[in-house]
Amino acid sequence: MNEATGERDSYINGEFITGPDRLGVTNPATGQDFTEISLADASMTESALAAARNAQPGWARHAPLERAAVMKRIADLIDANSETLAELIVREQGKPIAEARGETSGSAEFFRFFAEYARRIEGEILPSDHAGEQIWIQRVPIGVVAAIIPWNYPLALVARKVAPSMIAGNSIVLKSHENTPLSALAMARLFHHSGVPRGVVNIISGLGSVVGEAMCASDEVDLITMTGSVPTGKRIMRNAADRLTPVSLELGGKAPFIVMADADLDLAVRSAASSRYMNCGQVCICNERTFVERSVHDAFVARFIEVSKSLRIGDPMDESTDLGPKVSLAELEKVEKRVDAAVEAGAEILYGGGRTEGMKGGYYYNPTVIGGVTDAMSIMQDETFGPVIPIVPFDSFDDVVTSANNSRYGLSAYLFTNNLKQVMEAVNTVEFGELYINRIGPESLQGYHVGYRNSGPGGDDGTHGLETYLRKKTVYVNYSDGPTTGLMPYGKQDAGEAS
């Protein structure tokens, strides 16, 4: 039986609930709606949070191995429905089918990876200052998690938020992006069939201005985790501040890609192109700014353009397609404006530019290489999130580190060199949360996906990412026969002497 069938309603407390309004879902490859979903409202959001609050204590009382067993069933169901899920990703998000299959496989691995923590969430026992006493520091569930995800990885980001939440013993309410709601709803169907107790995982489809605001303004939420844009992240932090709700935000990047003259040039070119054009450039760790040492700059650019020319643009369901469409018309227009602004500021299009002709209304943009840019241009400072790359020559390592760090973002950076001294200098001076040496992403499950500056506070993945979903409880355990040594003598504990 294929469990990843097309649900169109929000999943709340173990049931699919129809919302009061409808919204079309567009295929980016055609520009046409192919289905519609129902939208949740604020009242449904409150119901989901209430269900999560009610379910969380019972889920936390399950032994970690019991929670892990459910998570492994989820992973198995993802694998069993992998092709259906991959095709759903393609239809609503537009990435090539090969990339969608990779996203589906990675989603299953999130659940298997975090299920392994069933025996690895550790506490601490500390010696006390007093005889007959111990101090325990426990790691306990944080409670109810509100998760908000973007559209670029609509399946994997569900797994990235839900899996650590589940193994930690939390319940979660997740809002999918309105452009790409179907993958999350398909995951809800798998949660339903895997034996997740009612209310432990809730999936809501709705507008950020309605559902997102209601989630972030709720007293029922103990943690807000969000992947998305800087403006949205700042709004979430402002809302959370009123309730002192912890937040974990991953807000994009402007990754520098540095190529030294001693690097393997073929590897650097292939890596730079893959990092730029993957998912049509719609990846937060994508190569957004390429810096090449001047002595090899021209050769690098020539080879990079050849790779760009070789890319097959087309139907993302076609196995041979390398580059699919942007996710929406609005996102396509953002890329156009960014390129137009660069040209107006004096940059030169070395290859590509403009919408792809003959694509039957889809949101396609040609792979584009730009030269003649400066650090001050928007193309070098603002996240492009499309198949457009500026390539800049540099003369010294110190100069390129200065340019690389000249960014409001601080998520990922890349360095290609065979010089160990330069590698170590980069480790010490490149101010980004992730640094890739002679390789590109994606990031590893056991790593820590974390950014600096406007890339947001908090992070995902690995042990450190799991810590986001846990809080610490300190327990002072006195097992002696005598009184606690901190007690004051009788007759001295009046109001004036109380601490």
Side-chain angles (χ1 to χ4, degrees):
M1 180 175 66
N2 189 319
E3 304 292 3
T5 52
E7 294 294 344
R8 300 297 181 264
D9 298 322
S10 294
Y11 183 65
I12 299 173
N13 200 28
E15 297 180 359
F16 288 93
I17 308 296
T18 302
D21 298 311
R22 312 294 291 180
L23 180 71
V25 181
T26 303
N27 183 339
T30 64
Q32 301 296 315
D33 289 356
F34 65 95
T35 189
E36 64 178 14
I37 61 165
S38 72
L39 292 175
D41 59 12
S43 176
M44 291 173 63
T45 305
E46 292 171 2
S47 295
L49 291 169
R53 176 64 65 195
N54 184 63
Q56 191 273 322
W59 179 243
R61 285 193 294 269
H62 279 66
L65 282 174
E66 293 175 337
R67 299 198 291 265
V70 176
M71 295 168 64
K72 290 175 182 178
R73 288 199 294 271
I74 294 170
D76 290 343
L77 281 173
I78 293 172
D79 287 342
N81 294 276
S82 59
E83 192 64 16
T84 299
L85 290 167
E87 291 175 1
L88 192 59
I89 293 169
V90 174
R91 293 186 72 192
E92 69 173 349
Q93 198 273 335
K95 68 184 60 176
I97 184 64
E99 293 184 28
R101 289 180 182 131
E103 179 175 349
T104 301
S105 175
S107 299
E109 288 307 301
F110 273 111
F111 285 96
R112 292 195 176 99
F113 175 80
F114 281 106
E116 294 174 0
Y117 279 88
R119 292 189 174 100
R120 296 180 186 173
I121 298 176
E122 299 176 347
E124 303 167 48
I125 299 178
L126 304 177
S128 173
D129 295 341
H130 310 296
E133 184 175 278
Q134 290 184 345
I135 302 171
W136 301 346
I137 299 179
Q138 297 181 323
R139 286 173 171 81
V140 300
I142 201 165
V144 175
V145 177
I148 299 172
I149 64 171
W151 43 258
N152 58 336
Y153 284 89
L155 196 82
L157 284 168
V158 174
R160 192 179 220 171
K161 304 297 187 186
V162 172
S165 176
M166 288 185 69
I167 197 61
N170 300 313
S171 57
I172 187 168
V173 178
L174 182 142
K175 187 192 94 66
S176 60
H177 195 278
E178 48 266 37
N179 286 352
T180 54
L182 302 178
S183 296
L185 294 176
M187 286 287 280
R189 168 64 66 178
L190 302 189
F191 298 145
H192 188 77
H193 283 274
S194 67
V196 176
R198 292 165 62 96
V200 170
V201 181
N202 306 271
I203 306 293
I204 296 183
S205 299
L207 302 178
S209 59
V210 177
V211 171
E213 289 287 332
M215 291 170 69
C216 296
S218 174
D219 291 326
E220 294 291 348
V221 173
D222 300 303
L223 168 70
I224 302 170
T225 175
M226 175 265 194
T227 302
S229 70
V230 171
T232 301
K234 290 181 176 180
R235 187 176 184 88
I236 287 171
M237 286 199 77
R238 284 191 291 269
N239 285 339
D242 289 338
R243 292 161 182 81
L244 297 178
T245 306
V247 297
S248 177
L249 306 175
E250 195 265 87
L251 306 178
K254 191 69 179 174
F257 192 104
I258 301 169
V259 181
M260 305 303 297
D262 69 300
D264 180 330
L265 202 60
D266 285 335
L267 174 64
V269 169
R270 294 196 309 273
S271 299
S274 295
S275 181
R276 176 66 276 179
Y277 296 132
M278 180 181 296
N279 196 15
C280 200
Q282 300 170 132
V283 186
C284 59
I285 67 170
C286 263
N287 166 22
E288 285 262 342
R289 303 172 286 155
T290 300
F291 299 93
V292 184
E293 196 164 2
R294 193 174 300 275
S295 62
V296 295
H297 171 267
D298 291 350
F300 180 97
V301 170
R303 296 188 197 185
F304 192 96
I305 289 175
E306 287 304 309
V307 171
S308 301
K309 289 179 178 178
S310 71
L311 296 177
R312 179 181 172 88
I313 306 170
D315 180 359
M317 286 299 298
D318 189 323
E319 300 280 353
S320 65
T321 293
D322 299 307
L323 194 65
K326 287 284 293 175
V327 72
S328 68
L329 179 59
E331 286 294 320
L332 175 61
E333 291 173 343
K334 284 182 184 178
V335 173
E336 289 179 315
K337 290 177 181 177
R338 188 82 76 239
V339 173
D340 289 346
V343 172
E344 290 173 6
E348 177 187 3
I349 295 179
L350 304 178
Y351 174 74
R355 301 188 188 190
T356 307
E357 296 181 357
M359 300 311 296
K360 300 179 181 178
Y363 307 133
Y364 291 85
Y365 196 87
N366 290 316
T368 301
V369 182
I370 298 179
V373 302
T374 65
D375 283 351
M377 291 181 182
S378 173
I379 198 78
M380 294 291 284
Q381 293 296 323
D382 299 318
E383 191 174 33
T384 302
F385 230 52
V388 176
I389 187 65
I391 304 180
V392 186
F394 68 88
D395 294 306
S396 74
F397 186 78
D398 289 343
D399 287 343
V400 75
V401 169
T402 298
S403 293
N405 289 338
N406 179 23
S407 175
R408 299 187 305 278
Y409 295 96
L411 185 56
S412 303
Y414 303 86
L415 173 65
F416 279 70
T417 181
N418 290 310
N419 185 321
L420 180 59
K421 182 180 179 181
Q422 288 178 339
V423 168
M424 297 312 300
E425 288 179 356
V427 169
N428 292 326
T429 60
V430 175
E431 298 172 356
F432 288 75
E434 294 178 340
L435 178 59
Y436 295 83
I437 308 294
N438 294 325
R439 60 154 289 186
I440 59 174
E443 56 272 26
S444 295
L445 286 168
Q446 67 270 33
Y448 185 42
H449 184 58
V450 62
Y452 302 160
R453 300 185 292 278
N454 273 15
S455 291
D460 291 298
D461 305 339
T463 300
H464 297 291
L466 180 59
E467 286 284 344
T468 301
Y469 296 85
L470 297 162
R471 56 184 170 186
K472 297 179 181 67
K473 176 183 287 187
T474 303
V475 182
Y476 292 84
V477 181
N478 180 275
Y479 57 90
S480 69
D481 294 330
T484 303
T485 55
L487 286 177
M488 297 177 68
Y490 287 110
K492 298 244 178 163
Q493 297 187 58
D494 57 42
E497 293 180 317
S499 62

